């Protein structure tokens, strides 16, 4: 009886192929198989907006910042907190959202609140 596994996965040799190393999209797991199970950034953004809207009951309108961290993902999401007439008087809020590497929300907090029609002069880049 042999000690090898019979799998349909592609095996990767320990040596990098001629012309360079494996791409950043590919990682080696313990079985030396090629895997790429990281979510795509656009999928992460959509999931984050949907999850935050479901938890808060408010409309997540846009993502104003987005970055990958050691622990997963970090986003700043603009949320409509209170709709007013005219629309420029509606109350908006920025929420800092933390996601795990798979894109599941692990925490959020409101970092500022403002009227939609007001510019934020004291923070560069609108943050």
């Amino acid at each position: 009886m042999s000690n090898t596994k019979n799998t349909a996965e592609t095996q990767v040799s320990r040596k990098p192929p001629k012309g360079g190393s494996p791409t950043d999209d590919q990682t080696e797991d313990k079985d030396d198989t090629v895997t790429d199970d990281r979510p795509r950034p656009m999928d992460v953004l959509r999931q984050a907006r949907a999850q935050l809207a479901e938890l808060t009951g408010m409309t997540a309108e846009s993502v104003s910042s987005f970055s990958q961290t050691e622990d997963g993902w970090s986003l700043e999401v603009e949320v409509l907190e209170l709709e007013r007439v005219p629309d420029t008087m509606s109350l908006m809020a920025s929420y800092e959202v933390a996601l795990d590497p798979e894109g599941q929300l692990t925490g959020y907090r409101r970092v500022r609140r403002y009227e939609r029609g007001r510019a934020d002069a004291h923070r560069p880049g609108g943050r």
Side-chain angles (χ1 to χ4, degrees):
M1 186 177 251
S2 115
N3 213 8
T4 61
K5 280 193 202 178
N6 187 8
T7 66
E9 297 173 327
T10 306
Q11 295 294 319
V12 177
S13 72
R14 292 252 177 226
K15 289 183 183 176
K18 286 185 181 180
S21 61
T23 66
D24 291 338
D25 292 340
Q26 299 174 337
T27 58
E28 288 185 24
D29 63 16
K30 291 179 182 178
D31 293 330
D32 294 334
T33 56
V34 175
T35 60
D36 186 12
D37 51 358
R38 293 179 298 175
R40 296 179 304 170
M42 287 307 297
D43 294 335
V44 170
L45 293 175
R46 285 186 196 103
Q47 285 181 7
R49 288 178 62 181
Q51 290 176 70
L52 184 63
E54 186 175 349
L55 286 170
T56 64
M58 296 179 277
T59 304
E61 293 204 346
S62 65
V63 175
S64 57
S65 72
F66 172 75
S67 64
Q68 191 167 9
T69 65
E70 290 179 9
D71 300 325
W73 307 87
S74 177
L75 292 83
E76 191 166 314
V77 180
E78 306 305 313
V79 171
L80 175 62
E81 285 203 333
L82 180 61
E83 192 169 6
R84 291 185 177 160
V85 175
D87 191 47
T88 55
M89 297 303 294
S90 294
L91 286 179
M92 302 292 293
S94 289
Y95 281 81
E96 188 177 277
V97 179
L99 305 166
D100 67 13
E102 288 78 39
Q104 296 301 308
L105 195 139
T106 59
Y108 68 92
R109 69 184 182 98
R110 184 172 64 195
V111 292
R112 69 185 173 111
R113 199 171 189 199
Y114 58 96
E115 290 178 343
R116 184 190 295 269
R118 262 184 219 250
D120 200 0
H122 68 280
R123 294 175 74 182
R127 292 192 65 201

